[in-house]
Amino acid sequence: MKVASAALLSLTLSAGSSHAFTSLAHSNAARATTRLAVATDPNTDTATPPIRTAPDAGYIPDWEDRPGLTPEEFMQSDMSKPDLSGMWECPLTRWDSDGIDIKKAQREAARMPKCPKELRATAAMNTKGAQYFAENKDKIRADLLKHGAVWLRGFDLMKDVKGHRAMYEALGLDPCLDPLHSSGLRKFSSERDALYEEVNKPSLRGHYIGLHCESTAKRTAAYAAFVCFQKATEGGGRFLVADGCAILAELDTEVLQRLYDRKIRISVSNLDIPPSLPGFVKEGIKGVVDAAVAPKFDMDLEMIYESDGKPGRLQAVETSEAPINRHPVTGVPIWFNNAHNHARKLRDRRPCGVPEVGMTEVFYADTMEPLSLEDCNEIKRASEKHITALSMEPGDVLLVDNYRALHGRDVFQGDRYHAVSWFTWDDNEEWRGDERRLVEKNGLNKAINSMMDWLPKDFESNQS
């Protein structure tokens, strides 16, 4: 039981490959570079500890210091509206990744419009409130599909929970669960409004969340609406967004072809077992973890020993997937994977607050070798060139096409409150499916979030 509990915490901390904390060092402080103690490991491609450097971004808009509401005010729900807690299950991932001509795909991706598109509120728009979004639903939804993300900037309506819901309902968006709801990486901000709290936990404010889609090999939300109720009180906390088409077009063609041909697999947790244990004992532990823990996570995982070269390490590894996909609606090729967030060689070289048990890794699927430092650096270069580090302030919402655009978060200081609603396919019942929320998942979600809330505000991982 102790082993199973440890593995459960491990999966909890990392299965969310897609969620983590960070705040851009560009925000209100000088960019910092620090050297931290990192164990020498075959995984690092170096005999000396890597330098930890805050990642860069291609565009960093200025802050405007717009006022918000108090927590008591912005958490108000409209109790006259129905309870949405029985929302749809997150839809299955739409894969169409076979037979892609890499050079042709890069040319096609390079022609796509800029992401994100900014829609700034005027006084007239703010006067109309939710009516503005109802009247302009078709245009905003078309821009979301065309650009991959729409930054709704300066709107008063979405400064509280009830206004956020009024906005997405006016746009006809249909809420669903986070694809990793049972992992406990996020808890509900307002369950009845289908609103999850973003990664605001003080214990994780020093952790940079790399680019990712809200996706596993099995499930992917169609759309998202990220809302800011309170920006970080002491600086940082920029929300990161990048165009999967722009990254695809930017990547070195040879590297991209290699990744596509070999495919990738992602490890979502580490459980270190004493390597001296007899083989039958280690296999027994593996069986317990596989039977007791893995089924609770809606992911296809394989338990593998020592895939990263660390003696005694048991890792939960997702199935093989292509790093490139075609968009389900437009058919446009997209960079569709979470390598920028999950690759260990990138995490070890930037601010990271995840315990070792929750560290992730990305492997070449054909050999189960970790991605080379050369390939990781090319993913980093191409990805960060196209990051827009948004200065989201109270009332701002970023609408995201979760197949086209990747998102992340910079480190922050002080307190911060962002939230997110996930959406399924509202115009395609077959893609949406008929699964509703599985109630038995909820107890696990709440239990794990309670454990996460016990971490101290200034928690830092020891990765040595």
Side-chain angles (χ1 to χ4, degrees):
M1 181 59 70
K2 288 184 178 180
V3 171
S5 298
L8 176 59
L9 180 57
S10 163
L11 287 166
T12 298
L13 290 170
S14 66
S17 49
S18 38
H19 323 278
F21 335 85
T22 54
S23 69
L24 279 173
H26 306 285
S27 308
N28 296 321
R31 208 160 165 252
T33 300
T34 56
R35 182 182 294 275
L36 301 184
V38 177
T40 300
D41 188 291
N43 232 7
T44 64
D45 284 0
T46 179
T48 58
I51 297 291
R52 292 194 183 273
T53 304
D56 211 335
Y59 176 51
I60 307 171
D62 292 335
W63 295 101
E64 297 181 345
D65 296 322
R66 284 179 268 113
L69 305 176
T70 66
E72 293 75 19
E73 292 169 329
F74 67 63
M75 290 303 301
Q76 292 297 313
S77 177
D78 184 349
M79 301 306 293
S80 69
K81 290 196 171 185
D83 188 335
L84 299 180
S85 58
M87 68 198 81
W88 296 107
E89 178 60 271
C90 184
L92 297 176
T93 302
R94 308 295 305 177
W95 285 107
D96 182 12
S97 57
D98 293 338
I100 294 177
D101 182 310
I102 297 301
K103 291 183 179 179
K104 181 179 178 181
Q106 288 189 291
R107 290 194 297 270
E108 186 176 357
R111 293 194 293 266
M112 297 304 291
K114 182 181 181 299
C115 168
K117 178 182 175 64
E118 182 178 328
L119 176 58
R120 182 179 285 276
T122 64
M125 292 177 187
N126 274 327
T127 298
K128 287 190 173 184
Q131 182 185 350
Y132 169 79
F133 294 100
E135 292 174 353
N136 292 275
K137 168 187 170 182
D138 292 343
K139 176 66 166 61
I140 294 172
R141 294 289 296 266
D143 282 341
L144 178 58
L145 189 64
K146 179 179 179 180
H147 295 270
V150 178
W151 183 12
L152 306 175
R153 194 175 189 189
F155 283 87
D156 294 333
L157 175 67
M158 293 88 79
K159 286 186 175 182
D160 57 28
V161 169
K162 61 179 180 291
H164 175 76
R165 176 170 172 175
M167 176 275 299
Y168 74 67
E169 288 183 336
L171 291 177
L173 295 167
D174 198 357
C176 71
L177 292 174
D178 184 297
L180 289 169
H181 173 78
S182 60
S183 74
L185 285 163
R186 292 207 190 135
K187 62 183 179 182
F188 281 114
S189 199
S190 178
E191 187 171 348
R192 70 180 315 279
D193 297 297
L195 185 65
Y196 284 88
E197 184 178 350
E198 249 262 57
V199 185
N200 303 310
K201 288 181 172 59
S203 59
L204 291 169
R205 59 191 171 192
H207 174 73
Y208 178 94
I209 304 173
L211 295 177
H212 59 279
C213 302
E214 207 65 20
S215 171
T216 69
K218 186 174 181 179
R219 294 191 182 273
T220 302
Y223 309 105
F226 294 90
V227 59
C228 172
F229 294 133
Q230 179 187 63
K231 71 174 187 177
T233 55
E234 297 176 27
R238 287 178 180 267
F239 190 88
L240 314 179
V241 63
D243 186 356
C245 286
I247 295 172
L248 182 69
E250 177 74 29
L251 280 162
D252 178 83
T253 302
E254 182 179 334
V255 171
L256 188 59
Q257 185 72 62
R258 176 167 56 250
L259 292 170
Y260 178 70
D261 290 342
R262 300 183 68 177
K263 294 186 169 55
I264 63 172
R265 295 186 70 180
I266 294 177
S267 166
V268 299
S269 72
N270 298 328
L271 182 60
D272 289 333
I273 308 296
S276 59
L277 288 178
F280 75 91
V281 175
K282 291 166 71 175
E283 286 304 307
I285 292 172
K286 175 181 173 181
V288 169
V289 174
D290 196 22
V293 177
K296 293 180 172 62
F297 293 82
D298 202 359
M299 302 168 69
D300 293 323
L301 298 173
E302 179 184 5
M303 301 299 164
I304 303 176
Y305 273 111
E306 303 174 0
S307 53
D308 67 352
K310 175 78 171 181
R313 175 164 291 168
L314 178 61
Q315 294 181 292
V317 186
E318 284 197 88
T319 54
S320 172
E321 60 188 76
I324 308 171
N325 198 8
R326 294 182 180 91
H327 191 282
V329 178
T330 65
V332 172
I334 45 177
W335 176 250
F336 184 71
N337 67 84
N338 297 337
H340 184 263
N341 186 50
H342 290 1
R344 180 66 182 255
K345 292 181 181 68
L346 296 183
R347 281 193 164 191
D348 280 347
R349 289 164 171 80
R350 67 191 182 209
C352 182
V354 176
E356 181 59 51
V357 71
M359 288 296 284
T360 54
E361 183 58 289
V362 184
F363 302 91
Y364 300 107
D366 56 353
T367 61
M368 283 304 292
E369 296 174 303
L371 295 192
S372 69
L373 183 58
E374 178 186 20
D375 285 356
C376 286
N377 281 337
E378 176 58 12
I379 291 170
K380 171 183 169 63
R381 181 198 67 80
S383 298
E384 293 171 16
K385 178 178 178 179
H386 294 284
I387 288 177
T388 295
L390 299 177
S391 50
M392 290 182 68
E393 304 196 28
D396 286 1
V397 167
L398 184 73
L399 299 174
V400 170
D401 177 332
N402 195 42
Y403 279 83
R404 167 77 181 274
L406 299 89
H407 64 276
R409 196 217 64 203
D410 193 18
V411 298
F412 68 93
Q413 299 78 44
D415 296 318
R416 174 185 186 269
Y417 206 101
H418 285 222
V420 58
S421 294
W422 303 106
F423 307 104
T424 187
W425 302 104
D426 54 90
D427 56 355
N428 190 317
E429 292 185 5
E430 180 184 354
W431 292 4
R432 181 199 67 201
D434 57 7
E435 297 177 85
R436 286 284 184 176
R437 182 179 181 188
L438 300 178
V439 178
E440 58 266 29
K441 286 184 178 182
N442 197 48
L444 181 64
N445 178 278
K446 289 183 176 180
I448 290 171
N449 266 290
S450 295
M451 287 190 288
M452 292 293 287
D453 287 339
W454 290 343
L455 291 175
K457 284 192 174 186
D458 296 320
F459 171 80
E460 293 183 2
S461 65
N462 178 4
Q463 320 232 349
S464 59

